[in-house]
Amino acid sequence: MSLPAMIRAMRPHHWLKNGLVFVPILLNHDVFDISAIGHGVVAFIAFSLMASSIYLLNDIIDVEADRRHPTKCKRPLAAGEITERQAYAAVPLLLASSFALSWLLPQPRLFLMALAAYLALALAYLFVLKRKLLVDVLGLAALHTLRILAGNAAAAIPISSWLLAFSMFLFLSLALVKRYAELRITQDQSGLKKAGRGYHAEDIEALSQLGMASGCTCALIMALYVDSAAVKELYRRPELIWLVCPIILYQMARIWFLARRGHMPDDPLVFMIRDWRSQVTGAAVVVIMVAATLWP
C-alpha cells in the first residue's frame, strides 16, 4: 500500500473545515483559555479522523462513477493507487480512534452524542440523502453545523441560538454553491437533461436564487444579533458589529458570482479558506469583533 496515496484518500486538505469546532470557543472569548483551546484541538482531531473515514467510504461506493468523472478520477482509489480492501480496513481504525479521543474531554458524553449524530447523518447522506432533491443540501448544512455544536460540547459552552441560525443559513448557501458547481460541470460536459442526483439541468437557476437568498439571510441574522440582549453581555461596542454585515454580503455575493462564471471548485468552504480575498475579509471580521470587544 502507498502510504502517501492513503493519506491523500483521507483528504487532509478538507480537515480545515473541522476548524469550525473552534468557533464557539472564539465567540465565547475563550481564545486565551488554554484548557478550552486544548479541548478544541481534541475535537478537531476527532472530527478529522471521523470525516476521513466517511471520505473513504464515499470513494468506495462511488469508485466507478469517480472513474468517469473529469476530476474525481484522480482520487487514489479511482486511480488504482490503493485497493478497496485497504480502504475498508482503514475505516474502522479511523472511527475507533475518533471515538476514543472523546474521553479526553471534560464532558465526553455530550461530545460523543455530537460525534455519533455526525456519523449517523453522514452515513444517511452517503447512502440515501445525497440523491434526494434539496434534502441533500440541507444534510450538508446540518453536517457543518454539527461541527459547531461539537465545539460547544467539547469546551462545555452553552449553545447560542443566534450562532445556530447564522450557521445553518450560511452552510445552506455554501451547500447550494457546491451542488450548483457540480451540476454546471455535469451539464457543460455531458449535455444531459438530467444533470446528476435528484436534479435536472433546468434546476440550476433555482439553486442559484435559493443560495443567494440564504447568503443574504446570514447578513440579516447578523444585523438582528447586533440589537439582541445576548450581544451586550459579550461586547462593549456592539454597534461596531454592523460593519460585519456588508462584508458578509460581499463575500456571499462574490462566491455566487464565481460559481455562476464556472470558477468555483467542488467545495466552496475549502475555497474560502484558501482564497486570499476571503482571508482578507475574514481578517477584517476578526478585527471588527475584537474592536467591538475591547474598544473602551
Side-chain angles (χ1 to χ4, degrees), residues 3-72:
L3 184 58
M6 177 60 74
I7 293 174
R8 283 192 291 111
M10 293 168 61
R11 303 185 204 176
H13 60 286
H14 282 274
W15 292 353
L16 294 171
K17 295 185 289 186
N18 298 314
L20 291 169
V21 299
F22 291 102
V23 170
I25 297 172
L26 300 178
L27 293 181
N28 200 51
H29 299 172
D30 290 335
V31 65
F32 297 113
D33 186 336
I34 301 301
S35 177
I37 294 298
H39 296 149
V41 171
V42 172
F44 173 83
I45 297 173
F47 260 83
S48 297
L49 296 175
M50 173 72 71
S52 290
S53 68
I54 301 299
Y55 292 143
L56 286 172
L57 276 176
N58 178 79
D59 288 353
I60 293 170
I61 293 170
D62 292 343
V63 62
E64 294 301 327
D66 287 350
R67 285 170 179 161
R68 297 189 297 269
H69 194 275
T71 58
K72 295 179 181 179

Side-chain angles (χ1 to χ4, degrees), residues 166-185:
F166 178 85
S167 60
M168 275 301 297
F169 280 101
L170 171 65
F171 296 135
L172 176 59
S173 183
L174 295 179
L176 287 162
V177 169
K178 177 180 173 68
R179 191 62 69 237
Y180 178 94
E182 290 177 351
L183 286 172
R184 185 183 177 93
I185 291 173

Side-chain angles (χ1 to χ4, degrees), residues 120-144 168 171-172 175-176 179 197-199 203 207 210:
L121 182 57
L123 291 175
Y125 175 83
L126 185 60
F127 290 105
V128 180
L129 301 184
K130 72 177 183 180
R131 298 175 182 86
K132 303 297 181 181
L133 177 68
L134 295 180
V135 177
D136 60 338
V137 290
L138 290 171
L140 283 175
L143 285 171
H144 289 312
M168 275 301 297
F171 296 135
L172 176 59
L176 287 162
R179 191 62 69 237
R197 299 186 178 172
Y199 298 89
D203 297 333
L207 284 175
L210 181 59

Side-chain angles (χ1 to χ4, degrees), residues 267-289:
D267 197 314
L269 188 56
V270 174
F271 169 82
M272 288 174 62
I273 294 172
R274 293 178 169 180
D275 175 55
W276 72 267
R277 290 184 178 86
S278 300
Q279 293 169 1
V280 170
T281 56
V285 170
V286 171
V287 170
I288 292 170
M289 300 301 280

Side-chain angles (χ1 to χ4, degrees), residues 51-242:
S52 290
S53 68
I54 301 299
Y55 292 143
L56 286 172
L57 276 176
N58 178 79
D59 288 353
I60 293 170
I61 293 170
D62 292 343
V63 62
E64 294 301 327
D66 287 350
R67 285 170 179 161
R68 297 189 297 269
H69 194 275
T71 58
K72 295 179 181 179
C73 63
K74 299 178 183 178
R75 291 176 176 175
L77 187 59
E81 297 179 47
I82 61 173
T83 66
E84 290 188 27
R85 179 177 296 181
Q86 291 166 347
Y88 270 122
V91 169
L93 292 176
L94 293 170
L95 287 175
S97 301
S98 176
F99 281 108
L101 285 171
S102 304
W103 297 104
L104 299 177
L105 299 172
Q107 296 185 7
R109 291 184 180 180
L110 288 177
F111 185 76
L112 278 170
M113 289 174 60
L115 205 58
Y118 180 90
L119 177 60
L121 182 57
L123 291 175
Y125 175 83
L126 185 60
F127 290 105
V128 180
L129 301 184
K130 72 177 183 180
R131 298 175 182 86
K132 303 297 181 181
L133 177 68
L134 295 180
V135 177
D136 60 338
V137 290
L138 290 171
L140 283 175
L143 285 171
H144 289 312
T145 303
L146 275 171
R147 290 176 167 96
I148 292 179
L149 291 175
N152 286 103
I157 296 172
I159 296 172
S160 167
S161 58
W162 288 104
L163 179 57
L164 281 182
F166 178 85
S167 60
M168 275 301 297
F169 280 101
L170 171 65
F171 296 135
L172 176 59
S173 183
L174 295 179
L176 287 162
V177 169
K178 177 180 173 68
R179 191 62 69 237
Y180 178 94
E182 290 177 351
L183 286 172
R184 185 183 177 93
I185 291 173
T186 308
Q187 182 186 28
D188 289 347
Q189 296 199 6
S190 69
L192 297 178
K193 181 179 179 181
K194 188 167 184 179
R197 299 186 178 172
Y199 298 89
H200 292 255
E202 55 266 29
D203 297 333
I204 197 166
E205 190 60 33
L207 284 175
S208 174
Q209 294 173 4
L210 181 59
M212 287 188 284
S214 299
C216 291
T217 303
C218 296
L220 175 61
I221 292 172
M222 180 62 71
L224 294 174
Y225 174 68
V226 173
D227 289 329
S228 69
V231 76
K232 297 176 182 178
E233 298 178 2
L234 293 171
Y235 301 95
R236 294 181 181 179
R237 297 280 185 174
E239 62 273 12
L240 292 177
I241 302 178
W242 280 105

